[in-house]
């Protein structure tokens, strides 16, 4: 499980991009979640065959934690960016 802390000084639209080597299956390999004060505000499961995702999230100012949990591809390499 990988955790990333996000500090937003003001409300903004955050563009999240995650990429990983595309497989051929349909199994869920990653579970993404955005949390604040122990509560999940957003989550998404990614399938092996998708190769990633791009999401647009409107987020109020505050401290957040973003979690990437590998369901089956533990130790795999991914690229994560926030704009």
């Amino acid at each position: 499980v990988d955790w990333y802390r996000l500090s937003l000084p003001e409300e903004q639209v955050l563009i999240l991009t995650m990429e990983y080597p595309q497989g051929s299956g349909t199994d869920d390999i990653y579970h993404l979640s955005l949390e604040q004060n122990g509560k999940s505000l957003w989550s998404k499961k990614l399938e092996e065959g998708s190769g990633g995702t791009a999401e647009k999230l409107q987020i109020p100012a505050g401290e957040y934690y973003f979690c990437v949990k590998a369901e089956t591809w533990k130790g795999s390499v991914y690229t994560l960016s926030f704009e």
Side-chain angles (χ1 to χ4, degrees):
V1 177
D2 297 324
W3 289 93
Y4 302 91
R5 189 177 91 189
L6 303 172
S7 296
L8 303 177
E10 59 187 40
E11 182 175 339
Q12 63 186 50
V13 174
L14 190 66
I15 298 174
L16 153 72
T17 305
M18 182 175 178
E19 297 174 339
Y20 51 86
Q22 186 173 359
S24 60
T26 58
D27 292 340
D28 290 338
I29 60 167
Y30 288 109
H31 182 231
L32 311 179
S33 64
L34 181 68
E35 300 181 9
Q36 185 179 47
N37 299 324
K39 275 180 100 171
S40 179
L41 305 175
W42 173 88
S43 68
K44 182 170 186 165
K45 289 191 176 191
L46 301 178
E47 291 182 353
E48 179 182 343
S50 72
T53 189
E55 302 290 329
K56 190 186 254 188
L57 307 170
Q58 180 134 4
I59 303 173
E63 289 263 324
Y64 298 89
Y65 289 90
F66 188 81
C67 178
V68 178
K69 180 180 179 188
E71 298 286 340
T72 56
W73 282 11
K74 293 176 176 37
S76 62
V77 177
Y78 61 83
T79 302
L80 182 67
S81 66
F82 299 95
E83 297 176 33

PDB file of all heavy atoms in Angstrom, residues 23-57:
ATOM      1  N   GLY A  23      -2.200  -5.060 -19.061  1.00  0.00           N
ATOM      2  CA  GLY A  23      -2.258  -6.511 -19.172  1.00  0.00           C
ATOM      3  C   GLY A  23      -3.418  -6.917 -20.057  1.00  0.00           C
ATOM      4  O   GLY A  23      -4.090  -6.079 -20.650  1.00  0.00           O
ATOM      5  N   SER A  24      -3.700  -8.189 -20.097  1.00  0.00           N
ATOM      6  CA  SER A  24      -4.778  -8.679 -20.965  1.00  0.00           C
ATOM      7  C   SER A  24      -6.001  -9.152 -20.188  1.00  0.00           C
ATOM      8  O   SER A  24      -7.001  -9.514 -20.790  1.00  0.00           O
ATOM      9  CB  SER A  24      -4.257  -9.820 -21.840  1.00  0.00           C
ATOM     10  OG  SER A  24      -3.793 -10.877 -21.012  1.00  0.00           O
ATOM     11  N   GLY A  25      -5.935  -9.123 -18.858  1.00  0.00           N
ATOM     12  CA  GLY A  25      -7.042  -9.631 -18.057  1.00  0.00           C
ATOM     13  C   GLY A  25      -8.037  -8.564 -17.645  1.00  0.00           C
ATOM     14  O   GLY A  25      -7.913  -7.392 -17.981  1.00  0.00           O
ATOM     15  N   THR A  26      -9.046  -9.011 -16.903  1.00  0.00           N
ATOM     16  CA  THR A  26     -10.071  -8.096 -16.398  1.00  0.00           C
ATOM     17  C   THR A  26     -10.093  -8.051 -14.872  1.00  0.00           C
ATOM     18  O   THR A  26     -10.993  -7.475 -14.286  1.00  0.00           O
ATOM     19  CB  THR A  26     -11.471  -8.512 -16.908  1.00  0.00           C
ATOM     20  OG1 THR A  26     -11.733  -9.843 -16.479  1.00  0.00           O
ATOM     21  CG2 THR A  26     -11.564  -8.406 -18.418  1.00  0.00           C
ATOM     22  N   ASP A  27      -9.100  -8.664 -14.239  1.00  0.00           N
ATOM     23  CA  ASP A  27      -9.036  -8.650 -12.775  1.00  0.00           C
ATOM     24  C   ASP A  27      -8.744  -7.243 -12.271  1.00  0.00           C
ATOM     25  O   ASP A  27      -8.021  -6.471 -12.915  1.00  0.00           O
ATOM     26  CB  ASP A  27      -7.926  -9.575 -12.268  1.00  0.00           C
ATOM     27  CG  ASP A  27      -8.214 -11.041 -12.514  1.00  0.00           C
ATOM     28  OD1 ASP A  27      -9.401 -11.380 -12.716  1.00  0.00           O
ATOM     29  OD2 ASP A  27      -7.260 -11.832 -12.519  1.00  0.00           O
ATOM     30  N   ASP A  28      -9.303  -6.913 -11.107  1.00  0.00           N
ATOM     31  CA  ASP A  28      -8.962  -5.650 -10.451  1.00  0.00           C
ATOM     32  C   ASP A  28      -7.536  -5.766  -9.935  1.00  0.00           C
ATOM     33  O   ASP A  28      -7.197  -6.718  -9.231  1.00  0.00           O
ATOM     34  CB  ASP A  28      -9.902  -5.375  -9.273  1.00  0.00           C
ATOM     35  CG  ASP A  28     -11.306  -5.033  -9.713  1.00  0.00           C
ATOM     36  OD1 ASP A  28     -11.484  -4.611 -10.870  1.00  0.00           O
ATOM     37  OD2 ASP A  28     -12.227  -5.191  -8.905  1.00  0.00           O
ATOM     38  N   ILE A  29      -6.689  -4.796 -10.303  1.00  0.00           N
ATOM     39  CA  ILE A  29      -5.303  -4.865  -9.845  1.00  0.00           C
ATOM     40  C   ILE A  29      -4.938  -3.732  -8.890  1.00  0.00           C
ATOM     41  O   ILE A  29      -4.038  -3.880  -8.088  1.00  0.00           O
ATOM     42  CB  ILE A  29      -4.313  -4.928 -11.013  1.00  0.00           C
ATOM     43  CG1 ILE A  29      -4.434  -3.708 -11.906  1.00  0.00           C
ATOM     44  CG2 ILE A  29      -4.495  -6.197 -11.796  1.00  0.00           C
ATOM     45  CD1 ILE A  29      -3.288  -3.576 -12.879  1.00  0.00           C
ATOM     46  N   TYR A  30      -5.625  -2.592  -9.008  1.00  0.00           N
ATOM     47  CA  TYR A  30      -5.373  -1.469  -8.097  1.00  0.00           C
ATOM     48  C   TYR A  30      -6.685  -0.942  -7.540  1.00  0.00           C
ATOM     49  O   TYR A  30      -7.701  -0.910  -8.238  1.00  0.00           O
ATOM     50  CB  TYR A  30      -4.672  -0.312  -8.822  1.00  0.00           C
ATOM     51  CG  TYR A  30      -3.236  -0.565  -9.162  1.00  0.00           C
ATOM     52  CD1 TYR A  30      -2.845  -0.764 -10.478  1.00  0.00           C
ATOM     53  CD2 TYR A  30      -2.265  -0.596  -8.170  1.00  0.00           C
ATOM     54  CE1 TYR A  30      -1.520  -0.987 -10.799  1.00  0.00           C
ATOM     55  CE2 TYR A  30      -0.936  -0.823  -8.483  1.00  0.00           C
ATOM     56  CZ  TYR A  30      -0.572  -1.013  -9.795  1.00  0.00           C
ATOM     57  OH  TYR A  30       0.745  -1.232 -10.115  1.00  0.00           O
ATOM     58  N   HIS A  31      -6.619  -0.496  -6.305  1.00  0.00           N
ATOM     59  CA  HIS A  31      -7.738   0.206  -5.689  1.00  0.00           C
ATOM     60  C   HIS A  31      -7.207   1.569  -5.261  1.00  0.00           C
ATOM     61  O   HIS A  31      -6.264   1.651  -4.471  1.00  0.00           O
ATOM     62  CB  HIS A  31      -8.289  -0.568  -4.491  1.00  0.00           C
ATOM     63  CG  HIS A  31      -9.460   0.096  -3.863  1.00  0.00           C
ATOM     64  ND1 HIS A  31      -9.527   0.348  -2.526  1.00  0.00           N
ATOM     65  CD2 HIS A  31     -10.612   0.583  -4.388  1.00  0.00           C
ATOM     66  CE1 HIS A  31     -10.665   0.964  -2.260  1.00  0.00           C
ATOM     67  NE2 HIS A  31     -11.328   1.108  -3.374  1.00  0.00           N
ATOM     68  N   LEU A  32      -7.791   2.628  -5.803  1.00  0.00           N
ATOM     69  CA  LEU A  32      -7.388   3.996  -5.495  1.00  0.00           C
ATOM     70  C   LEU A  32      -8.410   4.615  -4.566  1.00  0.00           C
ATOM     71  O   LEU A  32      -9.615   4.386  -4.715  1.00  0.00           O
ATOM     72  CB  LEU A  32      -7.323   4.845  -6.765  1.00  0.00           C
ATOM     73  CG  LEU A  32      -6.557   4.269  -7.959  1.00  0.00           C
ATOM     74  CD1 LEU A  32      -6.620   5.240  -9.134  1.00  0.00           C
ATOM     75  CD2 LEU A  32      -5.130   3.980  -7.584  1.00  0.00           C
ATOM     76  N   SER A  33      -7.966   5.432  -3.612  1.00  0.00           N
ATOM     77  CA  SER A  33      -8.921   6.150  -2.770  1.00  0.00           C
ATOM     78  C   SER A  33      -8.334   7.474  -2.296  1.00  0.00           C
ATOM     79  O   SER A  33      -7.126   7.596  -2.104  1.00  0.00           O
ATOM     80  CB  SER A  33      -9.364   5.301  -1.574  1.00  0.00           C
ATOM     81  OG  SER A  33      -8.282   5.041  -0.718  1.00  0.00           O
ATOM     82  N   LEU A  34      -9.206   8.445  -2.144  1.00  0.00           N
ATOM     83  CA  LEU A  34      -8.864   9.756  -1.601  1.00  0.00           C
ATOM     84  C   LEU A  34      -9.560   9.857  -0.254  1.00  0.00           C
ATOM     85  O   LEU A  34     -10.778   9.670  -0.174  1.00  0.00           O
ATOM     86  CB  LEU A  34      -9.343  10.868  -2.532  1.00  0.00           C
ATOM     87  CG  LEU A  34      -9.035  12.289  -2.085  1.00  0.00           C
ATOM     88  CD1 LEU A  34      -7.532  12.556  -2.131  1.00  0.00           C
ATOM     89  CD2 LEU A  34      -9.772  13.289  -2.960  1.00  0.00           C
ATOM     90  N   GLU A  35      -8.780  10.138   0.790  1.00  0.00           N
ATOM     91  CA  GLU A  35      -9.331  10.131   2.142  1.00  0.00           C
ATOM     92  C   GLU A  35      -9.008  11.422   2.884  1.00  0.00           C
ATOM     93  O   GLU A  35      -7.991  12.068   2.616  1.00  0.00           O
ATOM     94  CB  GLU A  35      -8.779   8.942   2.922  1.00  0.00           C
ATOM     95  CG  GLU A  35      -9.130   7.618   2.269  1.00  0.00           C
ATOM     96  CD  GLU A  35      -8.621   6.412   3.035  1.00  0.00           C
ATOM     97  OE1 GLU A  35      -8.126   6.569   4.168  1.00  0.00           O
ATOM     98  OE2 GLU A  35      -8.720   5.304   2.498  1.00  0.00           O
ATOM     99  N   GLN A  36      -9.885  11.744   3.815  1.00  0.00           N
ATOM    100  CA  GLN A  36      -9.671  12.882   4.708  1.00  0.00           C
ATOM    101  C   GLN A  36     -10.246  12.511   6.070  1.00  0.00           C
ATOM    102  O   GLN A  36     -11.391  12.053   6.155  1.00  0.00           O
ATOM    103  CB  GLN A  36     -10.350  14.150   4.171  1.00  0.00           C
ATOM    104  CG  GLN A  36     -10.058  15.375   5.003  1.00  0.00           C
ATOM    105  CD  GLN A  36     -10.731  16.610   4.441  1.00  0.00           C
ATOM    106  OE1 GLN A  36     -11.919  16.579   4.113  1.00  0.00           O
ATOM    107  NE2 GLN A  36      -9.979  17.684   4.326  1.00  0.00           N
ATOM    108  N   ASN A  37      -9.443  12.683   7.107  1.00  0.00           N
ATOM    109  CA  ASN A  37      -9.858  12.357   8.475  1.00  0.00           C
ATOM    110  C   ASN A  37     -10.398  10.927   8.590  1.00  0.00           C
ATOM    111  O   ASN A  37     -11.385  10.677   9.274  1.00  0.00           O
ATOM    112  CB  ASN A  37     -10.899  13.348   8.981  1.00  0.00           C
ATOM    113  CG  ASN A  37     -10.371  14.764   9.018  1.00  0.00           C
ATOM    114  OD1 ASN A  37      -9.204  14.992   9.321  1.00  0.00           O
ATOM    115  ND2 ASN A  37     -11.212  15.727   8.691  1.00  0.00           N
ATOM    116  N   GLY A  38      -9.759   9.991   7.892  1.00  0.00           N
ATOM    117  CA  GLY A  38     -10.153   8.594   7.973  1.00  0.00           C
ATOM    118  C   GLY A  38     -11.385   8.210   7.169  1.00  0.00           C
ATOM    119  O   GLY A  38     -11.817   7.066   7.193  1.00  0.00           O
ATOM    120  N   LYS A  39     -11.971   9.166   6.424  1.00  0.00           N
ATOM    121  CA  LYS A  39     -13.160   8.895   5.604  1.00  0.00           C
ATOM    122  C   LYS A  39     -12.785   8.876   4.132  1.00  0.00           C
ATOM    123  O   LYS A  39     -12.071   9.755   3.653  1.00  0.00           O
ATOM    124  CB  LYS A  39     -14.208   9.992   5.799  1.00  0.00           C
ATOM    125  CG  LYS A  39     -15.122   9.804   6.976  1.00  0.00           C
ATOM    126  CD  LYS A  39     -16.099  10.944   7.056  1.00  0.00           C
ATOM    127  CE  LYS A  39     -17.431  10.549   6.490  1.00  0.00           C
ATOM    128  NZ  LYS A  39     -18.467  11.560   6.737  1.00  0.00           N
ATOM    129  N   SER A  40     -13.290   7.891   3.423  1.00  0.00           N
ATOM    130  CA  SER A  40     -13.065   7.824   1.984  1.00  0.00           C
ATOM    131  C   SER A  40     -14.014   8.798   1.280  1.00  0.00           C
ATOM    132  O   SER A  40     -15.224   8.747   1.464  1.00  0.00           O
ATOM    133  CB  SER A  40     -13.313   6.403   1.477  1.00  0.00           C
ATOM    134  OG  SER A  40     -13.115   6.358   0.090  1.00  0.00           O
ATOM    135  N   LEU A  41     -13.440   9.697   0.477  1.00  0.00           N
ATOM    136  CA  LEU A  41     -14.233  10.676  -0.265  1.00  0.00           C
ATOM    137  C   LEU A  41     -14.448  10.263  -1.716  1.00  0.00           C
ATOM    138  O   LEU A  41     -15.383  10.716  -2.368  1.00  0.00           O
ATOM    139  CB  LEU A  41     -13.536  12.039  -0.233  1.00  0.00           C
ATOM    140  CG  LEU A  41     -13.205  12.579   1.157  1.00  0.00           C
ATOM    141  CD1 LEU A  41     -12.404  13.858   1.044  1.00  0.00           C
ATOM    142  CD2 LEU A  41     -14.480  12.811   1.951  1.00  0.00           C
ATOM    143  N   TRP A  42     -13.544   9.430  -2.207  1.00  0.00           N
ATOM    144  CA  TRP A  42     -13.611   8.967  -3.593  1.00  0.00           C
ATOM    145  C   TRP A  42     -12.808   7.678  -3.683  1.00  0.00           C
ATOM    146  O   TRP A  42     -11.786   7.526  -3.014  1.00  0.00           O
ATOM    147  CB  TRP A  42     -13.001  10.033  -4.509  1.00  0.00           C
ATOM    148  CG  TRP A  42     -12.857   9.619  -5.934  1.00  0.00           C
ATOM    149  CD1 TRP A  42     -13.803   9.745  -6.918  1.00  0.00           C
ATOM    150  CD2 TRP A  42     -11.724   9.007  -6.555  1.00  0.00           C
ATOM    151  NE1 TRP A  42     -13.317   9.243  -8.108  1.00  0.00           N
ATOM    152  CE2 TRP A  42     -12.026   8.792  -7.904  1.00  0.00           C
ATOM    153  CE3 TRP A  42     -10.476   8.618  -6.092  1.00  0.00           C
ATOM    154  CZ2 TRP A  42     -11.152   8.212  -8.793  1.00  0.00           C
ATOM    155  CZ3 TRP A  42      -9.594   8.022  -6.979  1.00  0.00           C
ATOM    156  CH2 TRP A  42      -9.929   7.833  -8.318  1.00  0.00           C
ATOM    157  N   SER A  43     -13.260   6.746  -4.508  1.00  0.00           N
ATOM    158  CA  SER A  43     -12.478   5.527  -4.728  1.00  0.00           C
ATOM    159  C   SER A  43     -12.781   4.957  -6.105  1.00  0.00           C
ATOM    160  O   SER A  43     -13.833   5.235  -6.694  1.00  0.00           O
ATOM    161  CB  SER A  43     -12.745   4.485  -3.643  1.00  0.00           C
ATOM    162  OG  SER A  43     -14.053   3.998  -3.736  1.00  0.00           O
ATOM    163  N   LYS A  44     -11.832   4.175  -6.581  1.00  0.00           N
ATOM    164  CA  LYS A  44     -12.003   3.543  -7.895  1.00  0.00           C
ATOM    165  C   LYS A  44     -11.118   2.312  -7.965  1.00  0.00           C
ATOM    166  O   LYS A  44      -9.983   2.325  -7.497  1.00  0.00           O
ATOM    167  CB  LYS A  44     -11.614   4.515  -9.011  1.00  0.00           C
ATOM    168  CG  LYS A  44     -11.804   3.937 -10.395  1.00  0.00           C
ATOM    169  CD  LYS A  44     -11.656   4.976 -11.463  1.00  0.00           C
ATOM    170  CE  LYS A  44     -12.003   4.329 -12.805  1.00  0.00           C
ATOM    171  NZ  LYS A  44     -12.232   5.325 -13.831  1.00  0.00           N
ATOM    172  N   LYS A  45     -11.646   1.247  -8.564  1.00  0.00           N
ATOM    173  CA  LYS A  45     -10.857   0.043  -8.821  1.00  0.00           C
ATOM    174  C   LYS A  45     -10.465   0.039 -10.292  1.00  0.00           C
ATOM    175  O   LYS A  45     -11.269   0.389 -11.154  1.00  0.00           O
ATOM    176  CB  LYS A  45     -11.649  -1.211  -8.476  1.00  0.00           C
ATOM    177  CG  LYS A  45     -11.823  -1.375  -6.988  1.00  0.00           C
ATOM    178  CD  LYS A  45     -12.368  -2.725  -6.636  1.00  0.00           C
ATOM    179  CE  LYS A  45     -12.413  -2.843  -5.119  1.00  0.00           C
ATOM    180  NZ  LYS A  45     -12.676  -4.191  -4.677  1.00  0.00           N
ATOM    181  N   LEU A  46      -9.216  -0.351 -10.551  1.00  0.00           N
ATOM    182  CA  LEU A  46      -8.710  -0.382 -11.920  1.00  0.00           C
ATOM    183  C   LEU A  46      -8.447  -1.821 -12.348  1.00  0.00           C
ATOM    184  O   LEU A  46      -7.898  -2.606 -11.581  1.00  0.00           O
ATOM    185  CB  LEU A  46      -7.411   0.420 -12.015  1.00  0.00           C
ATOM    186  CG  LEU A  46      -7.514   1.890 -11.626  1.00  0.00           C
ATOM    187  CD1 LEU A  46      -6.150   2.552 -11.726  1.00  0.00           C
ATOM    188  CD2 LEU A  46      -8.512   2.614 -12.501  1.00  0.00           C
ATOM    189  N   GLU A  47      -8.825  -2.126 -13.572  1.00  0.00           N
ATOM    190  CA  GLU A  47      -8.632  -3.466 -14.123  1.00  0.00           C
ATOM    191  C   GLU A  47      -7.291  -3.582 -14.827  1.00  0.00           C
ATOM    192  O   GLU A  47      -6.755  -2.596 -15.342  1.00  0.00           O
ATOM    193  CB  GLU A  47      -9.741  -3.788 -15.122  1.00  0.00           C
ATOM    194  CG  GLU A  47     -11.101  -3.962 -14.502  1.00  0.00           C
ATOM    195  CD  GLU A  47     -12.158  -4.339 -15.525  1.00  0.00           C
ATOM    196  OE1 GLU A  47     -11.869  -4.342 -16.745  1.00  0.00           O
ATOM    197  OE2 GLU A  47     -13.281  -4.636 -15.098  1.00  0.00           O
ATOM    198  N   GLU A  48      -6.800  -4.785 -14.871  1.00  0.00           N
ATOM    199  CA  GLU A  48      -5.514  -5.094 -15.505  1.00  0.00           C
ATOM    200  C   GLU A  48      -5.447  -4.576 -16.941  1.00  0.00           C
ATOM    201  O   GLU A  48      -4.449  -4.009 -17.363  1.00  0.00           O
ATOM    202  CB  GLU A  48      -5.310  -6.609 -15.478  1.00  0.00           C
ATOM    203  CG  GLU A  48      -4.046  -7.085 -16.118  1.00  0.00           C
ATOM    204  CD  GLU A  48      -3.929  -8.600 -16.098  1.00  0.00           C
ATOM    205  OE1 GLU A  48      -4.644  -9.271 -15.333  1.00  0.00           O
ATOM    206  OE2 GLU A  48      -3.113  -9.108 -16.865  1.00  0.00           O
ATOM    207  N   GLY A  49      -6.514  -4.756 -17.697  1.00  0.00           N
ATOM    208  CA  GLY A  49      -6.517  -4.394 -19.113  1.00  0.00           C
ATOM    209  C   GLY A  49      -6.666  -2.923 -19.418  1.00  0.00           C
ATOM    210  O   GLY A  49      -6.524  -2.509 -20.566  1.00  0.00           O
ATOM    211  N   SER A  50      -6.921  -2.080 -18.410  1.00  0.00           N
ATOM    212  CA  SER A  50      -7.153  -0.657 -18.698  1.00  0.00           C
ATOM    213  C   SER A  50      -5.859   0.122 -18.899  1.00  0.00           C
ATOM    214  O   SER A  50      -5.843   1.104 -19.623  1.00  0.00           O
ATOM    215  CB  SER A  50      -7.976  -0.003 -17.584  1.00  0.00           C
ATOM    216  OG  SER A  50      -7.202   0.147 -16.409  1.00  0.00           O
ATOM    217  N   GLY A  51      -4.779  -0.265 -18.252  1.00  0.00           N
ATOM    218  CA  GLY A  51      -3.519   0.454 -18.394  1.00  0.00           C
ATOM    219  C   GLY A  51      -3.469   1.771 -17.647  1.00  0.00           C
ATOM    220  O   GLY A  51      -2.482   2.483 -17.702  1.00  0.00           O
ATOM    221  N   GLY A  52      -4.550   2.117 -16.952  1.00  0.00           N
ATOM    222  CA  GLY A  52      -4.544   3.350 -16.160  1.00  0.00           C
ATOM    223  C   GLY A  52      -5.873   4.068 -16.177  1.00  0.00           C
ATOM    224  O   GLY A  52      -6.885   3.541 -16.634  1.00  0.00           O
ATOM    225  N   THR A  53      -5.826   5.316 -15.687  1.00  0.00           N
ATOM    226  CA  THR A  53      -7.033   6.128 -15.623  1.00  0.00           C
ATOM    227  C   THR A  53      -6.651   7.602 -15.578  1.00  0.00           C
ATOM    228  O   THR A  53      -5.530   7.952 -15.222  1.00  0.00           O
ATOM    229  CB  THR A  53      -7.885   5.769 -14.386  1.00  0.00           C
ATOM    230  OG1 THR A  53      -9.151   6.436 -14.474  1.00  0.00           O
ATOM    231  CG2 THR A  53      -7.211   6.163 -13.083  1.00  0.00           C
ATOM    232  N   ALA A  54      -7.591   8.451 -15.948  1.00  0.00           N
ATOM    233  CA  ALA A  54      -7.468   9.896 -15.784  1.00  0.00           C
ATOM    234  C   ALA A  54      -8.797  10.364 -15.198  1.00  0.00           C
ATOM    235  O   ALA A  54      -9.855  10.071 -15.748  1.00  0.00           O
ATOM    236  CB  ALA A  54      -7.183  10.587 -17.108  1.00  0.00           C
ATOM    237  N   GLU A  55      -8.729  11.043 -14.073  1.00  0.00           N
ATOM    238  CA  GLU A  55      -9.929  11.467 -13.355  1.00  0.00           C
ATOM    239  C   GLU A  55      -9.853  12.956 -13.038  1.00  0.00           C
ATOM    240  O   GLU A  55      -8.784  13.475 -12.729  1.00  0.00           O
ATOM    241  CB  GLU A  55     -10.063  10.702 -12.035  1.00  0.00           C
ATOM    242  CG  GLU A  55     -10.116   9.204 -12.167  1.00  0.00           C
ATOM    243  CD  GLU A  55     -11.391   8.704 -12.793  1.00  0.00           C
ATOM    244  OE1 GLU A  55     -12.447   9.337 -12.629  1.00  0.00           O
ATOM    245  OE2 GLU A  55     -11.335   7.654 -13.451  1.00  0.00           O
ATOM    246  N   LYS A  56     -10.986  13.616 -13.107  1.00  0.00           N
ATOM    247  CA  LYS A  56     -11.084  15.028 -12.741  1.00  0.00           C
ATOM    248  C   LYS A  56     -11.888  15.104 -11.445  1.00  0.00           C
ATOM    249  O   LYS A  56     -13.038  14.673 -11.407  1.00  0.00           O
ATOM    250  CB  LYS A  56     -11.797  15.784 -13.859  1.00  0.00           C
ATOM    251  CG  LYS A  56     -11.750  17.280 -13.733  1.00  0.00           C
ATOM    252  CD  LYS A  56     -12.605  17.919 -14.807  1.00  0.00           C
ATOM    253  CE  LYS A  56     -11.738  18.514 -15.870  1.00  0.00           C
ATOM    254  NZ  LYS A  56     -12.525  19.303 -16.836  1.00  0.00           N
ATOM    255  N   LEU A  57     -11.252  15.615 -10.381  1.00  0.00           N
ATOM    256  CA  LEU A  57     -11.885  15.667  -9.069  1.00  0.00           C
ATOM    257  C   LEU A  57     -11.921  17.099  -8.560  1.00  0.00           C
ATOM    258  O   LEU A  57     -10.885  17.770  -8.536  1.00  0.00           O
ATOM    259  CB  LEU A  57     -11.102  14.802  -8.069  1.00  0.00           C
ATOM    260  CG  LEU A  57     -10.822  13.359  -8.475  1.00  0.00           C
ATOM    261  CD1 LEU A  57      -9.835  12.726  -7.513  1.00  0.00           C
ATOM    262  CD2 LEU A  57     -12.101  12.567  -8.521  1.00  0.00           C
TER     263      LEU A  57
END
